Amino acid sequence: MYGEDKGMSESMARQPIRVLNMFTIMDRGGAETMVMNYYRHIDRTKVQFDFLVHREQRGAYDDEIERMGGRIYRMCPVYPQNFSRYKRDLRTFFRAHPEYKIIHSHMSELGYFAFREAERQGVPVRICHAHNAPHGFDAKMIIRTYFKKRMMPYLTHLFMCGEESGKWLYGDKNKSRFIMLNNAIDAAVYSFDASKREEMRRQLGLTGELVIGHVGRFNPQKNHAFLLDIFAALLKKEPNAALLLVGGGEGMPKNQAKAQELGIAERVRFLGVRSDVADLMQAMDVFVFPSLYEGLGIALVEAQAAGLPCVVSDTIPYEAYLTDLVDSENLSASAEKWAEKILAMRAVPRTDRHEEIAAHGFDISTEAVKLQEFYLKAYEQNC
């Protein structure tokens, strides 16, 4: 291998292969959380994850990554004004790090520059991962479509979290190449626990309230503004209710202001980025997920594992309907109609559903082994 002597080759053979994951920043978003779930459960003596990120500030998962032996490299943001610098920096990076034979990008079409440079520098396994399926059209979509098409010749593997995300990123004509990787979770961690539920509600100062919950970053896709309208309508029917909003993001202040305008601020808890989502879900009564679009919706998988009845928008991919706990509503329906559906779903009893989630292939203990074997086989075949 590359001219080393036999002793060096055997030493290298005992080292784990290193997979370079690409992200914007390792905060607690859906794709980031999914990758961390896999990272925690792979055999890191065989496969080790490293990360190429595009922000100078540290992400929520950086400390954990480093504790597990992962390396974090930083690049400038992939903005048009940085394109020339970014291309130069990528060339320098791949020349300095010939150890990376597998790159796995979670940046959608923004991975184009890295895939092109990786191919030029002889990186044999170049995986793109589709995590979302945007709807609608704006000026950005023209640019996104351009890079999607330019990216395709440089990809060796087309991963997706769901059929719609794959079609959106790669095009329906490439469907035969799609590889499904489930947004697996540690399902047992979310198992319904009545004593934990009471403890969390006590900590949150909630006793007899109807607790509505949502987990998601504050960006337009998650549709928090409409969720606040729904909750305002619900309060008119059920005044003893509370709304827990878990997540961070630039859109939080705007939604806090809207809660004030609607006169519901004292009933809404903006909990920010949390590491105890599984415990918070124990405290909830109904999970509401009115996203404009999703690739899959890992928070919805988690909610079902927690035995939560869920009311979701009809834009959520059907692959995420893993139990009979999910009911959908059209986004064009009124906030009042959504509120009525939520109140109807509150009667669904909480039970342990984590084994049902695992049976659908969404338990990380088994799915991590599959991904690990994929990497090992791809490395063996190409290196």
Side-chain angles (χ1 to χ4, degrees):
M1 180 181 286
Y2 301 103
E4 314 96 323
D5 61 32
K6 182 178 179 181
M8 184 178 295
S9 296
E10 290 176 350
S11 175
M12 289 182 66
R14 291 193 294 269
Q15 298 297 315
I17 64 170
R18 305 195 76 95
V19 176
L20 186 67
N21 285 275
M22 294 180 57
F23 277 99
T24 298
I25 185 172
M26 285 305 294
D27 276 340
R28 294 183 185 277
E32 294 85 353
T33 296
M34 183 273 288
V35 168
M36 291 302 294
N37 283 337
Y38 276 93
Y39 189 19
R40 296 179 190 113
H41 288 83
I42 61 171
D43 182 346
R44 293 190 296 277
T45 67
K46 296 180 179 179
V47 177
Q48 177 60 258
F49 282 5
D50 295 328
F51 294 82
L52 184 68
V53 300
H54 296 77
R55 294 293 185 272
E56 283 300 319
Q57 65 267 34
R58 291 180 66 81
Y61 286 124
D62 284 12
D63 288 346
E64 184 181 1
I65 289 169
E66 290 169 347
R67 284 197 303 270
M68 291 194 291
R71 303 164 184 165
I72 303 173
Y73 307 96
R74 301 187 188 278
M75 290 271 179
C76 63
V78 192
Y79 296 153
Q81 63 268 30
N82 294 336
F83 281 175
S84 294
R85 172 191 168 189
Y86 184 55
K87 288 186 284 188
R88 290 195 302 270
D89 288 351
L90 282 171
R91 186 175 305 115
T92 299
F93 176 84
F94 283 114
R95 287 177 176 173
H97 293 281
E99 69 269 25
Y100 293 113
K101 305 304 178 186
I102 302 175
I103 63 169
H104 190 155
S105 174
H106 306 269
M107 297 177 62
S108 193
E109 74 285 349
L110 288 180
Y112 160 67
F113 293 110
F115 288 127
R116 185 179 66 174
E117 189 59 40
E119 191 269 344
R120 290 174 176 176
Q121 299 298 329
V123 178
V125 183
R126 303 178 297 276
I127 306 166
C128 188
H129 202 136
H131 289 285
N132 230 327
H135 297 298
F137 183 84
D138 56 24
K140 288 183 179 179
M141 197 59 70
I142 298 174
I143 300 172
R144 299 191 75 177
T145 300
Y146 171 79
F147 281 120
K148 283 195 297 181
K149 292 181 178 178
R150 292 288 299 273
M151 174 179 71
M152 289 304 299
Y154 302 106
L155 306 182
T156 59
H157 298 85
L158 313 183
F159 276 37
M160 62 178 184
C161 66
E163 191 81 11
E164 290 304 310
S165 65
K167 289 180 180 178
W168 182 84
L169 187 56
Y170 311 123
D172 194 49
K173 66 181 181 180
N174 291 301
K175 190 174 178 179
S176 62
R177 296 177 59 195
F178 292 177
I179 299 172
M180 175 71 81
L181 184 68
N182 287 330
N183 284 6
I185 64 172
D186 191 346
V189 170
Y190 291 84
S191 300
F192 177 62
D193 183 328
S195 61
K196 173 64 72 173
R197 169 181 168 81
E198 293 306 314
E199 171 63 17
M200 289 305 299
R201 288 173 74 95
R202 185 190 64 77
Q203 290 183 21
L204 292 164
L206 302 168
T207 52
E209 289 92 339
L210 169 65
V211 180
I212 309 305
H214 174 85
V215 178
R217 186 177 288 161
F218 281 85
N219 62 27
Q221 171 192 345
K222 300 299 182 180
N223 209 11
H224 286 90
F226 184 50
L227 178 54
L228 291 172
D229 289 334
I230 294 168
F231 185 63
L234 184 143
L235 283 173
K236 294 176 181 177
K237 303 173 185 293
E238 174 52 82
N240 192 28
L243 175 62
L244 304 183
L245 298 177
V246 184
E250 296 178 356
M252 185 188 290
K254 183 178 180 180
N255 283 279
Q256 289 172 320
K258 175 162 185 173
Q260 290 284 353
E261 293 167 5
L262 290 171
I264 62 173
E266 64 180 22
R267 309 299 299 175
V268 182
R269 309 280 187 92
F270 290 85
L271 299 180
V273 177
R274 300 283 292 250
S275 60
D276 59 346
V277 172
D279 291 343
L280 290 169
M281 284 186 170
Q282 300 296 322
M284 300 173 186
D285 293 303
V286 182
F287 185 79
V288 183
F289 207 51
S291 299
L292 300 178
Y293 56 87
E294 290 285 345
L296 181 86
I298 192 169
L300 179 57
V301 176
E302 294 168 342
Q304 291 173 85
L308 271 172
C310 305
V311 179
V312 308
S313 57
D314 60 3
T315 61
I316 305 299
Y318 196 69
E319 293 105 319
Y321 289 54
L322 304 178
T323 69
D324 59 2
L325 293 170
V326 184
D327 197 2
S328 66
E329 186 56 82
N330 195 285
L331 284 173
S332 63
S334 66
E336 290 73 19
K337 189 172 181 181
W338 275 76
E340 290 171 2
K341 182 156 287 187
I342 292 167
L343 290 172
M345 289 293 283
R346 73 187 296 186
V348 176
R350 292 288 293 274
T351 57
D352 184 359
R353 296 296 191 97
H354 87 272
E355 291 186 356
E356 197 170 344
I357 300 301
H360 282 280
F362 281 80
D363 186 72
I364 195 64
S365 61
T366 55
E367 297 305 295
V369 173
K370 295 178 184 178
L371 180 61
Q372 176 180 303
E373 292 306 311
F374 171 88
Y375 287 140
L376 292 172
K377 184 177 181 181
Y379 187 89
E380 181 182 352
Q381 291 177 341
N382 292 278
C383 302

